[in-house]
Amino acid sequence: MPELPEVETLCRQLSASLPDLSIVELELRLAKILKPDPGLSADSIVGARFESVERHGKFLEMKLDRDLALLFHLRLAGQLVHRKGDVNLAAGGHPVPPFDAPLPHKSTHLIFSLSDGSRLFMTDIRQFGFCQITTWASAAEYISARSMGPDAAGPGLTLEALTKGLARRKQTRLKPLLLDQTFVAGLGNIYVDEALWLGRLHPLREAGSLTVDEVTSLLHSIQTVMSIAIDEGVAHVVNGRADPDRDFPKAHGRLGQPCPRCGTPIVRERVAGRSSYYCPNCQKAPASDR
DNA sequence: AACTACTCCTGGAGGC
DNA sequence: TGCCTCCAGGAGTAGT
């Protein structure tokens, strides 16, 4: 569930809390979570100091001195909490367990003890996330090899780039296309649904069927959803259900609830193997499906 | 090229 | 109450 906004929020917090601290000890509680590059090991990073934290799509890269780096992907349910005493200096990712829960949790797989007595916990109830121990150059190579598209919240996602991208993938439905990290980087199931709802586009529309106005609308919708989530708070969805006390997300996780725009009940349909929520009135199905 | 199915895994929800 | 099944989700891979 951690998508671009969750990782970006975490990145900003860790950028403030980690630099200049060094790693005193690393406790690995689930071996497969840690993936050291050949020639490196958990021991390699003991004593190394954090320099900076960066986001690449949904990847989080922590640059250390000695040319070392940690590359995290939180996948479905990964969470990072940097805590000193009872105080969270940074916390983000999947909201289960709650960020203020006692740590380590039974699903905490990795604990970094840092030079000021604080600790960084990686918790992941689904065990799909990972932390790679690598070098600056190998991290850059690894990221580059993903061939990620323009960042959904970055300046590279322009009308021109989006138009060209859609033209290259004319036959692909919008939902799987937007989930494809090589098309645009950072979106996941929740924010794709939100962007499509905001742009009044049905998830099964083919990329090549969009008018110029619709492409423009899609671009603005992606950018708007990203900035709302980053600036005003990420979507709170647990087990596929949107938090009933918040009005964001608008469509995702709101089966049967009235569309905030027109009042028509939101429907759920399986698209590309994923639950997709949309308004059947505002987001008209493609002609071929009617 | 584009699609589906399957894999990794756990926990929460709902049915009976 | 307790079993059972289903579902959530990112992304890689294999097969059609």
Side-chain angles (χ1 to χ4, degrees):
Chain A
M1 179 244 176
E3 305 178 30
L4 187 157
E6 286 79 8
V7 182
E8 176 63 23
T9 304
L10 193 48
C11 181
R12 291 182 186 185
Q13 294 180 23
L14 292 169
S15 293
S17 72
L18 286 180
D20 295 330
L21 300 180
S22 50
I23 299 168
V24 174
E25 189 188 348
L26 190 156
E27 184 188 342
L28 180 60
R29 296 156 44 110
L30 183 66
K32 67 173 181 177
I33 292 294
L34 195 68
K35 299 181 173 182
D37 276 4
L40 295 176
S41 69
D43 289 341
S44 312
I45 58 167
V46 172
R49 185 172 49 83
F50 289 97
E51 293 200 348
S52 63
V53 186
E54 296 169 15
R55 181 182 62 78
H56 312 279
K58 299 176 193 169
F59 286 91
L60 193 67
E61 181 187 10
M62 299 178 186
K63 285 186 164 151
L64 306 168
D65 63 0
R66 305 178 184 175
D67 190 36
L68 293 167
L70 299 173
L71 194 58
F72 291 85
H73 197 301
L74 302 179
R75 289 285 181 97
L76 302 181
Q79 169 191 106
L80 286 173
V81 174
H82 182 199
R83 182 176 291 181
K84 188 172 188 178
D86 294 335
V87 179
N88 284 351
L89 306 172
H94 193 64
V96 179
F99 297 125
D100 57 3
L103 290 171
H105 179 268
K106 64 177 177 179
S107 293
T108 299
H109 308 309
L110 200 50
I111 307 171
F112 299 83
S113 296
L114 307 181
S115 48
D116 67 343
S118 64
R119 289 189 290 175
L120 177 65
F121 299 88
M122 181 180 184
T123 303
D124 187 342
I125 59 173
R126 303 275 193 281
Q127 305 180 7
F128 288 163
F130 58 84
C131 170
Q132 209 162 318
I133 298 179
T134 184
T135 62
W136 288 31
S138 295
E141 242 172 69
Y142 181 89
I143 295 296
S144 166
R146 306 291 102 202
S147 299
M148 282 191 272
D151 192 88
L157 186 67
T158 60
L159 186 58
E160 192 188 359
L162 187 58
T163 304
K164 279 186 183 171
L166 291 167
R168 275 195 299 268
R169 305 282 299 274
K170 283 189 200 317
Q171 311 287 308
T172 311
R173 316 272 187 177
L174 289 178
K175 176 84 188 214
L177 185 59
L178 294 173
L179 286 171
D180 183 347
Q181 302 299 297
T182 69
F183 180 77
V184 55
L187 299 179
N189 204 32
I190 295 170
Y191 297 108
V192 167
D193 281 1
E194 288 305 287
L196 291 175
W197 177 84
L198 190 59
R200 301 173 189 248
L201 293 163
H202 192 282
L204 288 176
R205 286 284 299 277
E206 288 183 359
S209 75
L210 270 61
T211 64
V212 172
D213 282 353
E214 286 175 329
V215 177
T216 306
S217 171
L218 177 59
L219 174 69
H220 290 157
S221 302
I222 292 171
Q223 293 171 332
T224 301
V225 167
M226 290 295 99
S227 64
I228 289 174
I230 292 169
D231 299 334
E232 298 173 26
V234 298
H236 199 101
V237 180
V238 174
N239 290 322
R241 290 200 179 109
D243 186 341
D245 296 333
R246 299 193 207 175
D247 67 353
F248 183 78
K250 303 281 190 190
H252 186 92
R254 299 203 186 270
L255 178 62
Q257 296 178 37
C259 167
R261 224 164 17 212
C262 75
T264 306
I266 297 290
V267 299
R268 179 178 61 191
E269 188 179 335
R270 215 152 179 84
V271 178
R274 324 298 290 276
S275 274
S276 300
Y277 297 81
Y278 63 93
C279 170
N281 179 46
C282 297
Q283 297 165 264
K284 297 291 185 207
S288 58
D289 282 23
R290 276 185 278 159

